[in-house]
Amino acid sequence: MKRVFRRAVVAGLSALGLLTATVSPAQAATGYDRCPAGRFCLFDNADGTGAMATYSGSMATLGAYDNWAAGMRNRTGLHACVYSQPNHAYTDSVHHVVLQTGTSSEAVDLTPYQDANSRLANNVSSFRLARTSHECMSGAAYMVWYSPSWGRQGVQPLGDFNRDGATDLLFRTVAGALYFQRGDGTATRIGVGWNSMNVLQRHGDRDGDGAEDIVTRDGNGVLWMYPGNGMGGLKPRVQIGVGWSTLRNITTMGDFNGDGRRGDVVTNDSSGRLWLFAGRANGTLEPRKQIGSSGWQGMTALVGAGDVNSDGKNDLVARDGSGNLWLYPGKGTGGVGARKQIGSGWKRFERIIGLGDVNGDGRYGDLYGKDAPLLTLYRNNGWGSLAEEGLDYDWDDRETAF
């Protein structure tokens, strides 16, 4: 049987502390309540009696207390994972055990976590405390993710940040670090301090150098372009707009107006108007042009998903307040045609991500819906019809993928 156990998971925000460990003598009738606030505690008896060891950080080994604990309590506010092997190892699904308790502060008797091949009680050798569930299990701040198009050849016009042909992801952690996820389960940190950004977008090459770029908005309403270097990293940022705080949903569109430049941006305002900011050859923006006069204030998400209906023109996907998903076909001159409903029930997604041809079938307009802890891929059939194709688990609602 698979030896990963999980208890209820509740989001926690506390920071990791410095490592300390102490052992207290047995105290009658106080049990698990002896564990101090802000500490992780192990007990030598399953009912919380007997000796207690307290910690304020992760432990790769337990020294004299290896294979000692029969109970535990986590009062750190962080996710806790308890391992039967040292160094947080879980390489044998038959004989190794890991218990993931989330951020719950409830006392845990470790005795039930066993079968004929392995057990956790009196067999704990390490534990990890982390901000998120996936970091607790893997030790990595980023989410381990595999691209459905890994191994595809040929540079893609959208969603290919390192020009290797496979769709990849950019990922902002709870702490604000930015990672490039190349699609093989590994990632590289390419930035820090990104929690100051409230818009994160990408849609191909904006400045004509052949590498995909990032567009962000900071808390002061300043719009920035972070040029990609074509190898999964970033060049110094360039300011491309100010006064963007009043604009609601901002999405990068690629070449939406047919002028051959891929830096167009579409946004809606609180008055219900839709605006196009055409991109210049260097990635900066032309003055805005109104392309929708009313009703757009009801849209809660705008997505530049590429050519969704296979007519050779980039299209706009929008979600309304009821969770209905609409395709607005691009006219190729910067405007949109009559809309077509392509989905319902999308209100649950905190983020909708358009990365072009994600699954490598040659059709653009695939979408990801992020509804923590799930990341769901919807495959486009080439005419705007979407079908659920796959799920990834353990995504945190405080993290951003794009």
Side-chain angles (χ1 to χ4, degrees):
M1 74 185 272
K2 191 174 182 181
R3 309 303 306 143
V4 176
F5 297 99
R6 297 191 182 206
R7 291 170 65 89
V9 175
V10 181
L13 291 170
S14 301
L16 291 173
L18 296 174
L19 174 65
T20 61
T22 61
V23 176
S24 304
Q27 297 182 23
T30 53
Y32 286 108
D33 289 340
R34 291 176 294 153
C35 185
R39 294 292 187 266
F40 179 88
C41 302
L42 294 174
F43 300 82
D44 70 341
N45 291 327
D47 60 359
T49 60
M52 175 182 71
T54 67
Y55 306 87
S56 59
S58 301
M59 292 290 290
T61 59
L62 294 177
Y65 306 105
D66 187 42
N67 299 330
W68 171 78
M72 57 152 284
R73 188 175 184 188
N74 173 26
R75 299 191 66 192
T76 64
L78 298 167
H79 289 261
C81 293
V82 182
Y83 294 80
S84 64
Q85 299 298 306
N87 302 307
H88 317 119
Y90 182 71
T91 56
D92 181 343
S93 61
V94 175
H95 300 101
H96 295 178
V97 186
V98 55
L99 170 64
Q100 184 177 5
T101 66
T103 59
S104 171
S105 63
E106 294 180 2
V108 180
D109 174 359
L110 299 177
T111 306
Y113 303 100
Q114 62 180 328
D115 66 7
N117 298 303
S118 54
R119 72 181 193 279
L120 196 55
N122 304 119
N123 197 34
V124 175
S125 292
S126 62
F127 65 86
R128 182 185 283 126
L129 305 175
R131 294 181 177 91
T132 64
S133 172
H134 62 77
E135 184 178 3
C136 186
M137 290 296 294
S138 71
Y142 58 87
M143 180 70 192
V144 176
W145 175 78
Y146 294 90
S147 173
S149 57
W150 178 252
R152 177 176 58 187
Q153 302 299 309
V155 178
Q156 299 298 302
L158 167 60
D160 185 6
F161 201 61
N162 64 345
R163 298 188 291 192
D164 68 349
T167 299
D168 42 51
L169 275 181
L170 295 170
F171 180 83
R172 180 177 63 184
T173 69
V174 174
L178 187 69
Y179 281 84
F180 164 62
Q181 298 187 264
R182 56 187 54 83
D184 64 350
T186 66
T188 301
R189 193 176 72 177
I190 60 174
V192 295
W194 281 67
N195 275 341
S196 62
M197 302 299 174
N198 52 43
V199 169
L200 298 169
Q201 290 285 322
R202 58 192 279 219
H203 193 121
D205 174 25
R206 300 183 54 80
D207 57 6
D209 65 356
E212 189 170 45
D213 308 312
I214 299 174
V215 172
T216 73
R217 181 183 65 186
D218 67 24
N220 295 318
V222 178
L223 204 68
W224 299 93
M225 176 179 69
Y226 287 80
N229 64 11
M231 297 177 289
L234 297 171
K235 300 176 184 177
R237 69 182 185 177
V238 178
Q239 182 176 314
I240 60 173
V242 295
W244 283 67
S245 294
T246 59
L247 298 172
R248 305 184 72 179
N249 300 289
I250 299 169
T251 187
T252 48
M253 296 294 298
D255 181 12
F256 193 57
N257 63 358
D259 65 359
R261 305 184 186 108
R262 300 179 182 176
D264 300 341
V265 173
V266 168
T267 182
N268 60 337
D269 63 23
S270 58
S271 298
R273 294 168 294 184
L274 190 70
W275 300 95
L276 167 66
F277 292 80
R280 299 189 179 106
N282 62 358
T284 59
L285 297 171
E286 299 280 359
R288 68 183 183 178
K289 173 186 175 182
Q290 186 173 321
I291 59 173
S293 58
S294 63
W296 289 88
Q297 73 274 21
M299 297 300 174
T300 60
L302 301 176
V303 184
D307 182 12
V308 178
N309 60 3
S310 302
D311 66 354
K313 306 176 183 72
N314 282 350
D315 306 311
L316 177 66
V317 173
R319 180 186 61 189
D320 66 27
S322 298
N324 298 311
L325 202 65
W326 301 92
L327 169 64
Y328 289 84
K331 294 182 176 180
T333 56
V336 295
R339 71 182 187 176
K340 169 190 174 183
Q341 186 172 346
I342 58 173
S344 60
W346 284 69
K347 190 173 183 177
R348 70 184 187 274
F349 294 118
E350 70 232 27
R351 187 174 182 87
I352 303 172
I353 310 162
L355 293 175
D357 178 18
V358 175
N359 65 352
D361 65 359
R363 302 183 180 99
Y364 289 83
D366 298 337
L367 298 175
Y368 272 114
K370 182 175 180 289
D371 174 28
L374 301 178
L375 185 71
T376 308
L377 173 61
Y378 290 85
R379 171 180 50 84
N380 176 33
N381 68 358
W383 296 274
S385 178
L386 298 171
E388 184 178 320
E389 182 160 292
L391 297 171
D392 288 301
Y393 297 90
D394 265 353
W395 296 78
D396 194 282
D397 60 0
R398 299 163 295 163
E399 298 168 324
T400 304
F402 65 105

